[in-house]
């Protein structure tokens, strides 16, 4: 076996198995750092061993066993050192790592371990940024450098964030377990929020390293699949996965070669990812059949209606407007009401949309929000009121800060 | 592991409370103390006198400077504490939910802090 192909197997094994392995190791030793170190050592020795002696039948089990041995070695060394210094009172930490009984469980890689891990990473006692970083680092297996690049942060800042989070888990004793039934809905919502945030970071922002951004979307979808595997009956989880798949399916169509945004209406629908759409549509249907409406399912249902329209003209705007009204019942935010106004404008005519938008603008919450003015401009453009449309585009331009969005508004203004 | 539960509430609310309101809050405290006492995990629980009884001593130029008042003037004030043994933070959070904090529906907060356990000297 040459080193290059051994490396390829090591990398594939890491991608496929590291979540299970690290989750089991953390349970065994009770420490994120020690688990991480043991796993890294194991992958490093795998490279040497497999190059020399060939690939084992079950690479994942090999890594798990090797990591576990490393953990025990470290625990023994540490205990000897501490006994010598006579400072040690109890050896709870070490005995946990040496409990041989848990080894088979670790090798089996029960899904419960990854479940424990995701709930701990997304514990509400950690702030949202820490939850995201920790989830990507441990379950996602991204390096601190990759996460830092994705969030446009200096690497030391991100590293510090991880150190603080892990320290709090240890010192405040955030449990490594699946929350009890009564706390589950709230805690699962926190996990879903983290996953969706990771996805949006990869999907919406157009600056930064595009490869890493792509990786964030893929990771968010992987995590949602994992959560769904563990809670197959949860409508929110199914809705979240569907929503991300349906958005992700337009990945190639929504930006042109120069990085400029292409609106849904102008996208080449032939480049939408059919496989993702089909999976997303099936999930939406399933989630809706449970009659447990939540924000993810409703947004997924809206995305599904867009995905099902072969041409923009075939879009079921009345249904989309109705879904936005449902969404507004759960979360009466002005942005959702704005989206509803757009949908009504598209189905009942721009004048009706404009009327609704103006009432939103008057109420004040959105008067400084560039998308309100961009949406107004679009409605004015559709009703051929060029002067007023240009005025609204200029207003939107004055408020927009994102360069990609500014370029889009400039183009529209120029086309009038 | 031991956690301290620091109760922050508005003293002005406590001062203007009716007898019934005061009784209702005391009853909630007693329930927490009874339950944690029964489980053998309660180390201590005590309300504090208001911050106008506080005295702060800080060293300045090597000399103790004695000042009337609390460490910091804040909108909510430290009003009391519990010291309870908990398995982990989740169990501590469950206790915190039961400890009354906001008197008269006003803003209040329980801050949970793990005690730092040191090896014996």
């Amino acid at each position: 076996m040459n080193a290059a192909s051994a490396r390829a197997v090591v990398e594939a094994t890491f991608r496929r198995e590291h979540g299970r392995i690290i989750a089991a190791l953390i349970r065994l030793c009770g420490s994120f750092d020690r688990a991480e170190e043991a796993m890294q050592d194991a992958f490093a020795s795998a490279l040497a061993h497999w190059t020399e002696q060939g690939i084992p039948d079950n690479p994942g089990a090999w890594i798990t066993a090797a990591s576990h041995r490393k953990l025990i070695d470290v625990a023994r060394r540490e205990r000897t050192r501490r006994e010598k210094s006579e400072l040690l009172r109890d050896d709870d930490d070490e005995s946990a790592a040496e409990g041989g009984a848990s080894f088979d469980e670790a090798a089996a890689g029960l899904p419960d371990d990854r479940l424990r891990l995701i709930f701990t990473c997304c514990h509400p006692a950690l702030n949202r940024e820490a939850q995201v970083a920790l989830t990507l680092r441990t379950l996602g297996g991204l390096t601190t450098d990759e996460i830092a690049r994705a969030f446009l942060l200096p690497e030391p800042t991100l590293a510090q964030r991880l150190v603080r989070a892990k320290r709090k888990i240890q010192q405040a004793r955030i449990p490594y377990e699946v929350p009890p039934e009564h706390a589950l809905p709230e805690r699962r919502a926190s996990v879903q929020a983290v996953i969706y945030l990771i996805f949006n970071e990869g999907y919406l922002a157009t600056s930064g390293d595009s490869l890493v951004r792509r990786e964030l979307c893929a990771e968010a979808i992987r995590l949602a699949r994992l959560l769904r595997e563990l809670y197959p009956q949860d409508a929110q989880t199914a809705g979240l996965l569907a929503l991300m798949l349906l958005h992700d399916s337009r990945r190639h169509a929504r930006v042109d070669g120069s990085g400029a945004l292409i609106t849904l209406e102008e996208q080449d629908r032939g480049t939408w990812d059919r496989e993702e759409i089909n999976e997303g549509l099936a999930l939406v249907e399933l989630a809706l059949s449970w009659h447990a409406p939540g924000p993810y399912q409703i947004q997924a249902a809206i995305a599904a209606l867009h995905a099902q329209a072969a041409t923009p003209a075939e879009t079921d705007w009345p249904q989309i407007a109705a879904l936005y009204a449902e969404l507004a019942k759960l979360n009466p935010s002005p942005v959702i009401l704005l989206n509803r106004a757009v949908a009504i404008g598209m189905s009942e005519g721009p004048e009706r949309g404009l009327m609704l938008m103006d009432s939103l603008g008057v109420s004040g919450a959105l008067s400084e929000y560039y998308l309100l003015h961009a949406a107004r401009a679009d409605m004015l453009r559709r009703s051929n009121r060029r002067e007023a449309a240009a005025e609204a585009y200029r207003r939107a331009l004055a408020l927009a800060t994102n360069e990609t969005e500014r370029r889009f508004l400039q183009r529209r203004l120029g086309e009038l | 592991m031991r956690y301290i539960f620091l109760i922050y509430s508005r003293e002005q609310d406590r001062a203007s409370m009716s007898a019934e309101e005061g009784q209702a809050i005391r009853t909630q405290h007693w329930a927490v103390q009874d339950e944690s006492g029964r489980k053998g995990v309660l180390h201590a629980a005590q309300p504090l006198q208001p911050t106008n009884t506080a005295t702060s001593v800080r060293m300045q130029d090597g000399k103790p400077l004695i000042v009337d008042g609390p460490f910091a003037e804040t909108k909510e004030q430290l009003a009391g504490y519990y010291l309870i043994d908990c398995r982990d933070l989740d169990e501590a959070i469950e206790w915190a939910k039961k400890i009354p904090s906001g008197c008269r529906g006003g803003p209040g907060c329980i801050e949970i802090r793990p005690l730092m356990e040191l090896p014996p000297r």
Side-chain angles (χ1 to χ4, degrees):
Chain A
M1 169 77 37
N2 65 43
S5 41
R7 177 176 295 277
V9 180
V10 167
E11 278 166 8
T13 308
F14 181 82
R15 188 143 294 290
R16 201 175 55 241
E17 310 266 3
H18 78 272
R20 282 174 212 278
I21 297 172
I22 193 99
L25 292 173
I26 294 171
R27 172 168 55 75
L28 290 173
C29 74
S31 154
F32 278 65
D33 285 332
R34 257 185 283 174
E36 215 170 278
E37 211 172 294
M39 188 177 70
Q40 271 164 13
D41 284 356
F43 273 106
S45 48
L47 193 57
H49 269 86
W50 299 357
T51 309
E52 248 171 60
Q53 291 161 14
I55 309 295
D57 291 341
N58 185 340
W62 192 100
I63 299 280
T64 307
S67 318
H68 193 250
R69 277 195 303 276
K70 307 251 179 219
L71 268 189
I72 293 174
D73 287 350
V74 171
R76 289 214 178 106
R77 267 203 311 278
E78 229 165 81
R79 187 164 59 180
T80 316
R81 183 176 56 78
R82 283 159 88 181
E83 269 168 0
K84 276 184 190 150
S85 67
E86 290 183 340
L87 266 171
L88 190 68
R89 222 164 21 133
D90 61 300
D91 58 357
D92 281 355
D93 294 353
E94 286 83 352
S95 60
E98 285 187 48
S102 323
F103 175 59
D104 288 340
E105 281 177 57
L110 298 170
D112 280 24
D113 279 332
R114 282 177 299 163
L115 196 51
R116 280 191 187 96
L117 182 53
I118 198 164
F119 277 113
T120 302
C121 290
C122 301
H123 196 283
L126 300 170
N127 67 45
R128 191 64 91 202
E129 288 82 14
Q131 294 173 352
V132 168
L134 207 54
T135 302
L136 287 172
R137 178 76 195 95
T138 54
L139 268 164
L142 271 67
T143 64
T144 47
D145 177 56
E146 285 169 330
I147 305 169
R149 270 188 288 144
F151 287 88
L152 304 175
L153 288 168
E155 211 232 330
T157 308
L158 203 278
Q160 187 58 32
R161 196 173 279 180
L162 283 166
V163 168
R164 274 203 213 108
K166 286 189 271 192
R167 196 179 294 153
K168 179 157 187 193
I169 290 173
Q170 203 88 24
Q171 292 180 342
R173 203 177 280 180
I174 291 177
Y176 191 59
E177 61 188 29
V178 177
E181 201 61 41
H182 71 89
L184 202 51
E186 188 197 333
R187 294 285 305 277
R188 200 163 43 207
S190 171
V191 173
Q192 288 160 346
V194 167
I195 293 176
Y196 195 40
L197 210 126
I198 290 171
F199 181 83
N200 279 334
E201 189 62 33
Y203 192 73
L204 296 179
T206 44
S207 53
D209 188 323
S210 63
L211 271 178
V212 177
R213 296 202 166 277
R214 177 72 208 104
E215 182 56 28
L216 287 185
C217 292
E219 186 53 37
I221 289 173
R222 264 199 295 276
L223 289 169
R225 282 191 200 286
L226 170 65
L227 197 64
R228 183 161 151 66
E229 206 179 294
L230 304 165
Y231 294 107
Q233 306 295 323
D234 182 51
Q236 281 293 333
T237 304
L240 172 63
L241 179 56
L243 174 62
M244 295 193 300
L245 286 168
L246 291 169
H247 278 213
D248 200 55
S249 71
R250 304 180 210 138
R251 186 175 66 246
H252 298 298
R254 65 190 284 275
V255 195
D256 72 10
S258 70
L261 278 182
I262 306 174
T263 62
L264 204 48
E265 202 174 8
E266 296 168 321
Q267 286 175 18
D268 173 3
R269 297 183 178 222
T271 64
W272 288 0
D273 185 326
R274 278 291 134 198
E275 212 169 300
E276 280 188 313
I277 288 178
N278 290 338
E279 191 187 353
L281 291 178
L283 278 168
V284 170
E285 205 167 308
L286 181 68
L288 293 180
S289 74
W290 289 327
H291 300 291
Y296 298 122
Q297 294 95 294
I298 299 176
Q299 290 176 82
I302 294 169
L305 288 171
H306 286 300
Q308 283 167 315
T311 62
E314 288 166 71
T315 308
D316 188 349
W317 287 108
Q319 186 61 25
I320 290 175
L323 286 166
Y324 274 118
E326 281 303 305
L327 199 55
K329 276 189 213 158
L330 297 175
N331 173 18
S333 97
V335 177
I336 290 171
L337 293 173
L338 174 61
N339 279 308
R340 178 173 163 265
V342 171
I344 289 177
M346 294 302 286
S347 67
E348 298 176 21
E351 289 307 324
R352 180 93 181 94
L354 278 169
M355 216 171 76
L356 288 166
M357 283 175 199
D358 288 342
S359 71
L360 280 171
V362 170
S363 71
L366 291 184
S367 61
E368 298 297 305
Y369 184 55
Y370 91 89
L371 275 178
L372 170 73
H373 300 287
R376 276 194 79 245
D378 191 59
M379 287 290 140
L380 291 164
R381 178 180 69 89
R382 286 174 200 277
S383 56
N384 269 324
R385 287 156 63 182
R386 287 194 198 161
E387 271 309 297
E391 174 62 34
Y393 276 123
R394 278 192 283 270
R395 186 81 202 276
L397 264 168
L399 294 165
T401 50
N402 179 307
E403 198 41 51
T404 313
E405 280 149 357
R406 290 179 56 83
R407 264 161 58 196
F408 169 74
L409 294 168
Q410 292 280 15
R411 170 164 76 82
R412 270 289 148 88
L413 185 57
E415 284 167 0
L416 281 175
Chain B
M1 189 159 74
R2 286 177 300 167
Y3 293 82
I4 193 162
F5 298 74
L6 303 168
I7 306 169
Y8 287 90
S9 55
R10 286 199 314 215
E11 281 176 355
Q12 76 222 46
D13 291 341
R14 197 157 39 142
S16 59
M17 213 161 15
S18 72
E20 293 79 41
E21 287 168 324
Q23 187 57 35
I25 286 179
R26 267 193 297 281
T27 309
Q28 291 175 50
H29 278 294
W30 289 337
V32 176
Q33 286 160 21
D34 288 349
E35 190 191 346
S36 54
R38 235 184 358 260
K39 289 179 174 158
V41 292
L42 179 67
H43 287 276
Q46 203 73 52
L48 305 182
Q49 293 285 0
T51 47
N52 60 21
T53 65
T55 308
S56 299
V57 180
R58 76 171 66 226
M59 296 302 286
Q60 207 161 56
D61 304 326
K63 276 181 282 187
L65 178 69
I66 296 154
V67 193
D68 173 36
F71 165 66
E73 299 285 351
T74 48
K75 267 198 285 181
E76 285 114 37
Q77 296 81 22
L78 183 60
Y81 68 92
Y82 279 74
L83 191 58
I84 303 179
D85 230 323
C86 305
R87 193 165 54 95
D88 54 36
L89 184 62
D90 279 357
E91 199 174 287
I93 290 171
E94 289 307 313
W95 284 118
K97 288 179 191 164
K98 295 177 185 171
I99 301 172
S101 61
C103 309
R104 316 192 62 197
C109 171
I110 309 283
E111 179 179 329
I112 306 171
R113 295 273 292 270
L115 297 199
M116 191 189 277
E117 306 288 357
L118 297 173
R121 291 199 295 160

